[in-house]
Amino acid sequence: MSTVGHPAATSGQPGRLTGNRDFLLLWVGSGVSALGSRATSISYTLLVYWSTGSATAASLVTFAALLPNLVTQLPAGALVDRWDRRRTMVLCNVGRIVAIGSIAVAVARDSVWLPHLMAVAFVEASLGICYALAERAAVFNVVSADRYGAATAANESRANAASILGQPAGTLLYALTRWAPFGFAVLMHLISLVTLLFVRRDLQAPKARADEPSGMLARVREGFVFVWGQVYLRRALGLFAASNILFQVLGLGLVVIVKNQGGTPPMVGILVVVNSVFGMAGAMTSNFYLGRWGIRRIIMGVNISWAVLMPLIGLAPGLVIGLAPMLVVLGAIFALIHYGAGISNVAGMLYVLQSAPDHLRGRAGSIVMLLSSGANSLGALFAGFLLDSTSITKAMLIVGGAMGVIAVLAVLGFGGRARAEEERAEAERAEAERAEAERAEAEPALGKTPAG
């Protein structure tokens, strides 16, 4: 399948991202929106777990927040490819303002109800998925083709920056008063809504082609055909899906370890800051590794490093004496894990969005997120039951053993000379197809003077 760039992406826009007004507006708007979502994500867990002491109850809210990854991704991707992207993002922000605002009011009135939290978490996450898919596709309408990699890395760094500020802000605001992080999220989504109104460039996907399927199922099927045709993406998705389930245990396990050792919510926030800083560092340095290793070696290296690091989390509480030293050790282990995650996230998303034609970017992104993260909701439930039924040390050793199996599969799937030759041939074929598509798009414009 040939990859077709959008005309707006190759029309001589400013090469530097800092000089691209529309990109900066999208970047800032999505960034503050993510900031609000990060603040509420940690606040849901703190609100439930510190009130009930039940990991299972906390995991139910996390399950509701992650369930859209499983049930919302596919229809959202198909609809985003048909709807006006700017309008979609505006409506998503309005919906989140209303939903999260209801939680802020309920908490302020001390009338928190677990089903209400679960319903809002589901709605907020569903709207967030639609927003993210529309924004990712829209970015490629406002930057030049040679800046795709830089824009993707900037967006991944922005996500980690939102974690650096959002989750610690959520814990601190929660410590101040329980409704504050939800009120903060409402304000952030409102700011995001305003920035969208000042974006000048058309963000809409190209009009439907004559041969494009009109039914929802047919459009989703077209997206699956594209994703399945990407050899290394197909192999990597299975690995990402399995490891993402384990990350749900790690996330809740961190809260459990800190609480069991006599820690406080702000201490969890500090560790989250460390994780996000290193995740952002991984994203910012991802182009360095992509240029020298390629996606194949990145996948193998990251999975092997995780298999080594994850069991150490369970051993730390028994080997390290004192709360402060244990937090330092945990922070170092989680930092290295998230550094690798930052690298692999940029590599995977760049591969998808750069290779997908514009009319398929919403669906391609949704399918990749479904296959790689759709099981996260089940992973959240598994995390709660596992951590309530066994010790934290045993739970982390189980996670480490499972990660070891995943690492072996990564080496088998991506190692060897034959796999290297396939990767090289696929890269050359994709580059040739892209160059041919860009030449075809440039030909009608020859001899014409751009307006303005």
Side-chain angles (χ1 to χ4, degrees), residues 10-223:
T10 57
S11 58
Q13 299 169 52
R16 293 183 302 108
L17 294 179
T18 54
N20 189 323
R21 176 182 179 276
D22 286 338
F23 172 78
L24 291 178
L25 284 170
L26 284 175
W27 192 86
V28 171
S30 185
V32 296
S33 180
L35 187 63
S37 295
R38 293 292 187 180
T40 57
S41 66
I42 188 66
S43 299
Y44 284 131
T45 301
L46 295 175
L47 180 63
V48 176
Y49 190 67
W50 247 263
S51 298
T52 67
S54 170
T56 300
S59 70
L60 284 174
V61 178
T62 305
F63 167 77
L66 294 175
L67 185 59
N69 288 328
L70 189 61
V71 302
T72 306
Q73 290 284 358
L74 293 183
L79 293 173
V80 162
D81 280 340
R82 295 293 294 271
W83 291 348
D84 181 87
R85 290 168 180 164
R86 187 202 311 269
R87 188 177 304 157
T88 298
M89 289 186 280
V90 167
L91 292 176
C92 287
N93 274 331
V94 171
R96 287 187 287 185
I97 288 171
V98 173
I100 301 171
S102 72
I103 293 292
V105 172
V107 175
R109 297 179 59 184
D110 199 23
S111 57
V112 176
W113 188 37
L114 183 60
H116 179 209
L117 291 177
M118 294 177 63
V120 170
F122 179 86
V123 170
E124 179 188 358
S126 296
L127 294 174
I129 286 172
C130 292
Y131 181 97
L133 291 172
E135 191 267 342
R136 286 171 186 161
V139 163
F140 282 70
N141 290 56
V142 301
V143 301
S144 55
D146 63 321
R147 305 305 295 167
Y148 284 177
T152 304
N155 285 355
E156 180 65 22
S157 299
R158 175 193 62 197
N160 284 284
S163 293
I164 293 173
L165 299 174
Q167 294 196 17
T171 60
L172 293 176
L173 288 169
Y174 178 86
L176 178 65
T177 180
R178 297 193 307 168
W179 65 265
F182 302 101
F184 173 77
V186 169
L187 176 62
M188 293 301 100
H189 291 311
L190 180 60
I191 294 173
S192 176
L193 174 62
V194 173
T195 63
L196 284 169
L197 303 179
F198 289 92
V199 176
R200 296 171 181 168
R201 190 172 299 277
D202 181 17
L203 306 180
Q204 177 62 320
K207 293 182 179 180
R209 311 180 318 276
D211 62 338
E212 188 170 1
S214 57
M216 174 73 73
L217 292 179
R219 290 173 58 78
V220 170
R221 187 183 304 113
E222 185 182 28

Side-chain angles (χ1 to χ4, degrees), residues 218-307:
R219 290 173 58 78
V220 170
R221 187 183 304 113
E222 185 182 28
F224 268 108
V225 169
F226 166 76
V227 172
W228 188 256
Q230 312 302 307
V231 176
Y232 282 93
L233 177 60
R234 185 174 70 232
R235 295 174 182 174
L237 284 176
L239 300 174
F240 290 157
S243 61
N244 281 343
I245 292 176
L246 301 183
F247 268 80
Q248 300 307 309
V249 184
L250 295 182
L252 186 54
L254 177 63
V255 175
V256 172
I257 291 175
V258 173
K259 186 173 186 294
N260 288 348
Q261 297 295 318
T264 62
M267 292 179 181
V268 176
I270 292 173
L271 290 175
V272 170
V273 168
V274 174
N275 296 344
S276 301
V277 167
F278 277 81
M280 183 171 65
M284 294 176 66
T285 57
S286 58
N287 285 334
F288 172 85
Y289 297 104
L290 282 169
R292 286 158 179 78
W293 291 1
I295 184 66
R296 185 176 62 90
R297 291 190 179 90
I298 285 177
I299 290 175
M300 289 190 293
V302 168
N303 279 280
I304 291 172
S305 67
W306 287 345

